[in-house]
Amino acid sequence: MSQIAFSNAVTELFGTRLPIVAGGLMWLADADYVAAASRAGIIGFLTAASFPEPRALRDEIRRCRDLCEGGPFGVNVSMLPKLVPGEKTREVFELIVDEGVRFVETSGRNPQEFMPFLKQAGVKVLHKVPAVRFAIKAASIGVDAVAIVGAECGGHPGLDMVGSFVNAAWAESQLDIPYLVGGGIGRGSQLAAALTMGASGVVVGTRFVVAEEIWAHDDYKYRLVDAGPTDTDLCMQSVRNTVRTLRNETTAAVKEIEARNPNVTIQDLMPLVAGKIGRDAYVTGDWSKGLLAAGQSLAFVDRVEPLADIVRRFESDMWQALTRLANNCSGFVDAARGVPA
Ligand SMILES: Cc1cc2nc3c(=O)[nH]c(=O)nc-3n(C[C@H](O)[C@H](O)[C@H](O)COP(=O)(O)O)c2cc1C
């Protein structure tokens, strides 16, 4: 089944075999991971914020290009308000263009001010948002595609907290550009469902974190394998920066502070939530501390294996789902093809 050629707006946009995007992963999405995605027939995004020094980012882009051997790859530029000053963001985009990168995944804030520059350089923009209303805005400023992540997602689900199943079907009537959905996606059957609802692809984070090519410590990866969909916590709603992360000592402490003091500030929480603590957890494998983004698709995280194997299983699961649809509902399929039942 998996040899059947597949083509739609997302595979054509990125030049991939499958309409699956491996979204940016802070600290984790490096050249090895992104190149593994490229070889597996999908597209991954190097996470620019993980390489704060311009020289380091440039070197990583070059390493990625070499490893991809002509295959597609992109750079994620997360523009969380306040945390990343505008000047630095412009510098990052300039570097990306200078290096001839063809695709960016933007998130955190609208890339409107950078669109003319990116368009002129021929860079294709996938903007990732946590709600359909932001996707509508993104479409109006000329991005090439949008990814809408739902409440289930690892990382930042936004404030609306609408689920991915609703987003997938709702966006179809709201958007006239290709859209992907993400949040809780870890099986090919979900990709098949998203496609039937009108999406052109899916964006995946949590499911891919246990890939062998991810450099993080095995103790952390095996914790993700053991964990299930109820092992995440939502924190930082009180500072309007909600994150879904693996439940641990830090999430308990943060939730406790937020419950006690609704006026808590991000600065108050910083000693617990600083990104460096998360990075240390990836290095040492001690997952008990730090906000370690992870979503409800932990349900599907069942072993540590090469990314290509995860993608292969994803793909065969997608075909199985479509076969199930054809076999169990053949009347519908014939009707859809215009064949009289
Ligand atoms: C460990 C981890 C780190 C992430 N870091 C980023 C990031 O730096 N920038 C970004 O735009 N998205 C980031 N995300 C979000 C993913 O790119 C993707 O949108 C999300 O994980 C999809 O939901 P899922 O986790 O349910 O698959 C991260 C997700 C995870 C799990």
Side-chain angles (χ1 to χ4, degrees):
M1 274 291 192
S2 59
Q3 67 276 20
I4 295 174
F6 185 99
S7 171
N8 75 0
V10 165
T11 60
E12 280 165 27
L13 176 64
F14 296 122
T16 52
R17 192 168 56 77
L18 292 165
I20 301 174
V21 165
L25 303 174
M26 186 64 190
W27 303 127
L28 301 176
D30 65 2
D32 298 300
Y33 170 71
V34 171
S38 191
R39 285 193 298 272
I42 66 175
I43 185 167
F45 288 84
L46 279 182
T47 307
S50 312
F51 304 93
E53 292 305 318
R55 185 71 246 175
L57 177 59
R58 195 179 287 278
D59 288 348
E60 198 65 7
I61 290 173
R62 290 181 181 177
R63 196 165 79 81
C64 191
R65 184 181 303 113
D66 287 349
L67 290 171
C68 285
E69 296 176 333
F73 75 95
V75 176
N76 167 285
V77 183
S78 308
M79 304 180 288
L80 287 176
K82 295 180 216 143
L83 299 182
V84 182
E87 272 311 296
K88 181 86 186 294
T89 304
R90 178 163 293 280
E91 241 173 59
V92 169
F93 281 127
E94 281 169 3
L95 192 154
I96 285 169
V97 166
D98 193 45
E99 282 300 316
V101 172
R102 294 168 49 219
F103 305 107
V104 295
E105 178 195 49
T106 52
S107 65
R109 149 165 85 81
N110 193 307
Q112 185 163 18
E113 65 183 289
F114 306 107
M115 284 307 294
F117 175 68
L118 293 170
K119 281 265 156 190
Q120 207 195 350
V123 177
K124 301 287 183 199
V125 179
L126 168 66
H127 184 52
K128 186 167 62 186
V129 294
V132 170
R133 61 193 168 105
F134 299 123
I136 294 169
K137 170 70 185 167
S140 78
I141 62 161
V143 303
D144 296 278
V146 281
I148 308 155
V149 290
E152 304 94 322
C153 76
H156 294 274
L159 301 174
D160 293 4
M161 299 302 281
V162 175
S164 301
F165 212 66
V166 170
N167 286 336
W170 187 27
E172 193 271 333
S173 64
Q174 304 297 311
L175 296 170
D176 51 12
I177 63 168
Y179 68 95
L180 302 89
V181 286
I185 307 240
R187 293 288 300 262
S189 52
Q190 294 168 295
L191 169 57
L195 295 175
T196 67
M197 286 189 265
S200 297
V202 290
V203 58
V204 176
T206 302
R207 178 69 189 93
F208 290 159
V209 172
V210 293
E212 272 178 11
E213 293 85 354
I214 289 278
W215 63 263
H217 198 287
D218 270 353
D219 288 357
Y220 158 67
K221 291 187 190 174
Y222 282 106
R223 172 59 194 142
L224 297 184
V225 169
D226 289 343
T230 56
D231 288 314
T232 70
D233 259 335
L234 287 168
C235 300
M236 310 236 289
Q237 294 102 323
S238 55
V239 292
R240 298 180 63 80
N241 189 22
T242 309
V243 282
R244 187 183 289 283
T245 61
L246 187 64
R247 177 172 299 126
N248 62 7
E249 286 173 24
T250 299
T251 61
V254 170
K255 282 163 71 95
E256 215 253 321
I257 294 170
E258 292 189 286
R260 242 187 309 124
N261 176 9
N263 298 321
V264 69
T265 66
I266 183 91
Q267 282 74 25
D268 298 332
L269 295 173
M270 241 347 152
L272 288 170
V273 306
K276 189 189 166 301
I277 305 170
R279 188 172 194 286
D280 288 349
Y282 298 145
V283 172
T284 64
D286 175 6
W287 51 268
S288 67
K289 302 213 173 47
L291 288 187
L292 310 177
Q296 294 180 346
S297 65
L298 284 173
F300 313 116
V301 172
D302 56 356
R303 65 183 91 140
V304 175
E305 62 191 330
L307 185 62
D309 290 348
I310 304 178
V311 172
R312 204 168 296 130
R313 287 204 283 145
F314 213 106
E315 189 176 2
S316 73
D317 188 53
M318 177 186 80
W319 290 119
Q320 267 175 37
L322 292 171
T323 305
R324 233 178 356 251
L325 187 68
N327 289 343
N328 297 349
C329 316
S330 56
F332 291 152
V333 173
D334 286 346
R337 286 202 190 109
V339 178

